[in-house]
Amino acid sequence: MKIAVLVPCYNEELTIGKVVEDFKRELPEADIYVYDNNSKDNTSKIAEEKGAIVVKEYRQGKGNVVRSMFRDIDADIYIMVDGDDTYPAEAARDMIQPIIDGEADMVIGDRLSNGTYFQENKRPFHDFGNNLVKGLIGLLFKNEIRDIMTGYRAFNRYFVKTMPVLSDGFQIETEMSIHALDKKFLLKEIPIDYRDRPEGSESKLSTFKDGYRVLSALGSLFKNYKPMAFFGIVTLVSFLLGLLVGVPVIFEFVKTSFVSKVPSAILAVGFMVIAILSLVCGVILDTIVKNNKMNYELYLTRYKDLSIKK
C-alpha cells in the first residue's frame, strides 16, 4: 500500500524538521508531503533538507491546503498531521491499522480521552471552544465523537477522493467530521498523547477569530445538511413570537370588535409570515438534500466499482 503523510505548514521552521524526521522513522515506507502555505521563514528549506516533498500552496488557509492535498496526492492511505510537533508520530501505526483492516474510512486521533491535552494545552479558551463545538455537533448530529477538531487523522483513498472540501481555514476539521457523519462513513477514534508547542513556536489559531469562523461554519453546515431542522427552529421561534405579540390583539378584537394595537397586529402577521416561509423553505430544501444524498450514494457506488475494475 502507498502511504502519504500530509503536513500543512505555515511558519513552522522550529518544528517541521523534527516532524519529518519522526514520521520517516516511524513510517519509512511513506512519502511525506509538506505543503507550505506562504511561510515567511525557512519551513520549506528545512523540510526539503529532511527529505520531504515540498509543495507551495499560495491560497492562504488550512482548508485550501487540504483541498490541494486531497486533489493532488494519490495514495492508498493518508495521514494528516500538523507541522507544529504537537502530535506523536509514534501513534502513526495505530492510526493507519483500522484503515488497513477495513474498519474505518477515517481515523481520528483523540487528544482528549487520556487527559494529556488538558495537561499540556496552555490556552484555556481552546478547551472551552473544543467542548463547545463537540457539544453542539453531538446535539445537532447525534454522535459520540470525542475530539471533533483534532488535526491528526488518517483516511483511506475512498474518503479522500470523495470528500468535497468547501472550507478555506481551520473549519476544515469540523467540515470533515460532519461530512463523515452525514454520509455514514466508517469512523474510529484512537486515543493519542498530545504535547504543547515547544518554546518559541506560536500557534496560528486565533482563539476568538477562528473560533467565530468555526461556529459560523457549524451553523452553515447545520443548515446545509439538516435544513428541515434548521428552518424548523426558525419556524417555531417565529410562530411563538407571533403568538406572543398577536394573542393580546386577538383578545382585544374579540372583546371590542376593534383593534387599537395596529403595530402589534402588523408585527404578529410579519412573524407568522416568516414562520410559514421558513417552513416552506425547510420542506423544499429537505427534499433537495435527500435527493442529493441519493445521488451521492450512487456516486460512491460508481466510484467503488471503478476502483475495483482498476
Side-chain angles (χ1 to χ4, degrees), residues 12 84 123 126 170 196-197 201-207:
E12 300 289 5
D84 55 10
R123 294 151 292 182
H126 285 201
F170 284 101
D196 204 9
R197 285 172 169 268
S201 176
E202 296 182 1
S203 173
K204 315 308 180 297
L205 181 63
S206 170
T207 301

Side-chain angles (χ1 to χ4, degrees), residues 62-77:
K62 187 175 182 179
N64 290 322
V65 176
V66 173
R67 182 186 300 110
S68 293
M69 286 176 160
F70 282 9
R71 286 178 180 175
D72 299 344
I73 299 171
D74 286 320
D76 300 300
I77 298 174

Side-chain angles (χ1 to χ4, degrees), residues 140-141 164 166-167 175 178-179 182-183 216-231 281-282 284-293:
L140 300 176
F141 292 90
L166 304 179
S167 301
E175 181 182 345
I178 292 176
H179 174 75
D182 185 71
K183 298 302 187 293
S216 297
L218 178 57
S220 178
L221 290 168
F222 178 46
K223 173 181 66 69
N224 294 339
Y225 283 98
K226 294 184 177 292
M228 192 66 243
F230 179 87
F231 286 100
C281 286
I284 293 172
L285 291 175
D286 187 63
T287 302
I288 293 173
V289 166
K290 286 181 178 177
N291 285 332
N292 285 340
K293 282 184 178 180

Side-chain angles (χ1 to χ4, degrees), residues 6 8 62 79-83 86-87 95 108-109 111 147-155 173 176 192 194:
L6 316 181
K62 187 175 182 179
I79 300 176
M80 186 177 77
V81 64
D82 293 339
T86 56
Y87 299 106
M95 292 282 291
I108 298 170
R111 307 163 295 174
D147 193 355
I148 292 289
M149 301 184 68
T150 178
Y152 199 12
R153 298 171 187 249
F155 320 92
E173 283 91 359
M176 285 191 291
I192 60 168
Y194 175 87

Side-chain angles (χ1 to χ4, degrees), residues 239-260:
F239 180 75
L240 292 176
L241 289 173
L243 285 180
L244 183 65
V245 176
V247 166
V249 176
I250 295 172
F251 282 161
E252 180 190 26
F253 180 77
V254 170
K255 288 182 179 180
T256 65
S257 298
F258 183 77
V259 175
S260 62

